[in-house]
Amino acid sequence: MATREASVPGGGAKESAAEPWEPDKRLQGREARYIPREGGWSDRLDIDVPPPGQEWQPKLTVTEQLIRQRAEHNNCEIFSLEEVSLHQQDLEKLEHLDKWCRDLKILYLQNNLIPKIENVGKLKKLEYLNLALNNIERIENLEGCEDLQKLDLTANFVGELSSIESLKKNVHLKELFLTGNPCTDFEGYRQFVVATLHQLQSLDAKEIRRSERIQALQNYPEVQRRIREQEQAYVLKRSLEKEEAERKAQDKREKRKTEGKKCAPCVYSLEGSEEHLKAEGGNQYCDVIEEEDDEESKAFWEEPVPHTPEARLEAHQFLEKKKAKENREQNKKEKPPRTLITPEGRVLNANAPQLPFSLKDDAENNQFVLDLAVYRHLDTSLLDIDVQPSYIRVMVKGKPFQLVLPAEVKPDSSTARRSQTTGHLVINMPKAKGTIVATKKISTSKERSNDNQLQANLKRSARTEKLEVDPSKYSFPDVSSIVQGKEPIGQGPLRLRQPKAVGARSTPEAFEDDPEVPPLI
């Protein structure tokens, strides 16, 4: 069974042969596999299976491409970069930053595998350096960072507490974080740091008061002596841990050599490996390998180990190997592409995204209307629509939706739109044959109003007939003339009275008009 090994920084090389080897530069980007032979693991077989988007490197370091990718906010310019985040990149060494990014002010390097602080001393403008969750054991090479104000070394392996004396030259240093380091367990740890670094204002997110510093300075000689003794004990303990880690690594190499004799026969090609699997029983052989891998993984995680940089590196390498193996198996087990059109030319229906849909025949407009319930917040750029005369295909995030149409349509005249409320995809596809039937529509509102008015008149007429009284059968006094009607004065709208014509006034018959008599005024 082929495996892939990686170098172990700071703890020797982890190789399958007796002698370490360096990968050829011409083989970068290729996958190196070891061939099991009698007597152990020996030769290498380089197969052209490059990792996606990356070149194979034995040791991950800071590269120009990585910095440019992280400098998108600065138009990918690195010479004027003031802030960069290189966290969670599995970096094992710091390089080139002091040459490429001289103007850096903020540098994030947390959650990597950096064992040593180096190549940052020329960053004169650096104000904040975050190296949390790394494998650093000593504080060094920061004297040149003149403007350094904040240093975060949380959850590292700093055991030489006296190495903080190198920070005395960083006069602008205000905050220091050492939480989670072995040195924080030393007796008198805080007093020693407070008395050594006079410029500090905060240690482990706790403010340093003036009284605390005065007291620490008074007891400094005694605290310093105790710190030196605890440091020596820690250094001795670390040397034993390194020897134990080296011994375990050697035992694993020896065990791998002995197990190499029982490994499967040597296979030099992928075709040969497939034939070998078929000859050995195919799936049964793979099941045995998977069971062995599960047992190996379970034994690895259940094995008690000390909290050391070597153990952290080993766990990281184990995870990387397992991830690479899973990727290789996944590539081998890739599903074949879905068949949408048979070799005979028959179009098949498919709904890979499993979306509800409806297809309606709009006879009035002579078209088919497809309503596909795509996700409401799905970006339209993830939809690809292809209308053909006999079928329609919609790719939703790479998954095909294909539907055979009952009749031929016109692809050039088809339209697609998204609903602003539901987000559904609505596609109108005019039919290739047939005509649009134009029918005269009668206003339904008018018809309804006429019907309602007719019904109201009938009800009113029926109601008046029931209220009529026969005057011959019953005698009622006439009350309509009891009160004489008067014209309302000052009520209602004003009405203009027409002036009465003087000539129309009637004159008596015996009246004689004497012109000599003046008119009455």
Side-chain angles (χ1 to χ4, degrees), residues 140-410:
E140 56 188 346
N141 300 324
L142 292 175
E143 296 85 352
C145 301
E146 299 174 354
D147 290 341
L148 187 62
Q149 301 178 11
K150 185 177 180 180
L151 178 61
D152 193 345
L153 292 170
T154 304
N156 275 272
F157 298 91
V158 178
E160 299 183 29
L161 188 57
S162 59
S163 62
I164 66 169
E165 295 179 355
S166 62
L167 299 176
K168 288 183 177 180
K169 297 181 180 179
N170 303 99
V171 295
H172 298 288
L173 185 63
K174 306 299 181 185
E175 299 180 61
L176 178 63
F177 295 87
L178 293 173
T179 306
N181 286 271
C183 63
T184 58
D185 297 332
F186 292 173
E187 183 182 356
Y189 146 75
R190 185 174 178 85
Q191 292 88 340
F192 179 78
V193 176
V194 171
T196 303
L197 302 178
H198 300 170
Q199 72 274 28
L200 270 188
Q201 297 180 0
S202 174
L203 176 61
D204 297 335
K206 185 178 180 181
E207 183 182 359
I208 300 175
R209 299 185 178 277
R210 182 180 179 185
S211 58
E212 182 182 3
R213 177 169 279 113
I214 294 174
Q215 186 177 2
L217 290 172
Q218 291 175 351
N219 302 328
Y220 183 70
E222 179 64 21
V223 172
Q224 186 178 20
R225 182 184 62 79
R226 286 183 295 176
I227 292 295
R228 300 290 185 184
E229 293 176 357
Q230 296 176 79
E231 271 187 1
Q232 293 177 0
Y234 176 78
V235 170
L236 179 61
K237 177 184 175 182
R238 280 291 297 132
S239 61
L240 295 176
E241 289 176 350
K242 290 180 181 180
E243 292 177 0
E244 182 67 16
E246 183 64 26
R247 184 185 63 80
K248 287 184 178 181
Q250 184 66 24
D251 293 344
K252 289 182 179 180
R253 288 194 292 266
E254 294 295 335
K255 184 179 179 181
R256 193 179 297 115
K257 289 180 181 180
T258 56
E259 290 179 352
K261 299 179 181 180
K262 304 178 183 180
C263 288
C266 178
V267 177
Y268 289 94
S269 64
L270 296 178
E271 293 80 3
S273 63
E274 293 176 357
E275 295 177 359
H276 174 70
L277 289 178
K278 293 179 181 178
E280 292 291 336
N283 295 333
Q284 295 179 1
Y285 185 75
C286 295
D287 294 340
V288 173
I289 293 177
E290 290 179 359
E291 290 178 1
E292 292 178 356
D293 292 343
D294 293 339
E295 292 178 359
E296 181 184 0
S297 178
K298 184 178 180 180
F300 178 82
W301 294 114
E302 290 182 353
E303 180 185 2
V305 293
H307 181 57
T308 59
E310 292 78 17
R312 188 166 182 261
L313 275 174
E314 187 179 5
H316 172 73
Q317 292 172 2
F318 181 82
L319 291 174
E320 288 296 321
K321 288 165 57 179
K322 188 176 181 180
K323 185 178 179 181
K325 185 176 180 181
E326 290 177 355
N327 292 337
R328 288 197 298 268
E329 293 177 354
Q330 186 177 3
N331 293 335
K332 293 179 182 178
K333 297 179 180 178
E334 284 184 354
K335 294 182 180 180
R338 183 184 293 270
T339 303
L340 300 177
I341 301 178
T342 61
E344 294 80 13
R346 180 186 174 190
V347 182
L348 304 178
N349 292 330
N351 190 1
Q354 298 181 358
L355 298 174
F357 67 95
S358 64
L359 181 65
K360 298 180 180 179
D361 187 358
D362 189 358
E364 296 181 358
N365 297 320
N366 192 36
Q367 64 179 0
F368 292 114
V369 180
L370 175 63
D371 188 346
L372 185 60
V374 297
Y375 315 113
R376 180 176 182 179
H377 301 288
L378 180 68
D379 190 24
T380 308
S381 61
L382 300 176
L383 298 175
D384 187 11
I385 305 170
D386 182 15
V387 180
Q388 297 294 333
S390 59
Y391 68 93
I392 179 174
R393 181 184 301 168
V394 181
M395 301 297 292
V396 182
K397 297 179 66 175
K399 297 181 179 181
F401 171 86
Q402 185 168 284
L403 183 64
V404 180
L405 301 175
E408 291 189 2
V409 297
K410 299 178 182 179

Side-chain angles (χ1 to χ4, degrees), residues 39-67:
W41 300 78
S42 55
D43 298 339
R44 286 186 296 120
L45 175 64
D46 296 293
I47 303 175
D48 287 319
V49 186
Q54 294 183 359
E55 292 186 354
W56 186 84
Q57 294 182 354
K59 196 171 185 179
L60 294 178
T61 59
V62 179
T63 61
E64 181 179 354
Q65 181 182 3
L66 176 61
I67 298 179

Side-chain angles (χ1 to χ4, degrees), residues 473-490:
K473 295 182 180 180
Y474 302 97
S475 60
F476 293 96
D478 186 8
V479 296
S480 60
S481 60
I482 294 178
V483 180
Q484 295 182 357
K486 297 181 180 180
E487 293 184 2
I489 300 174

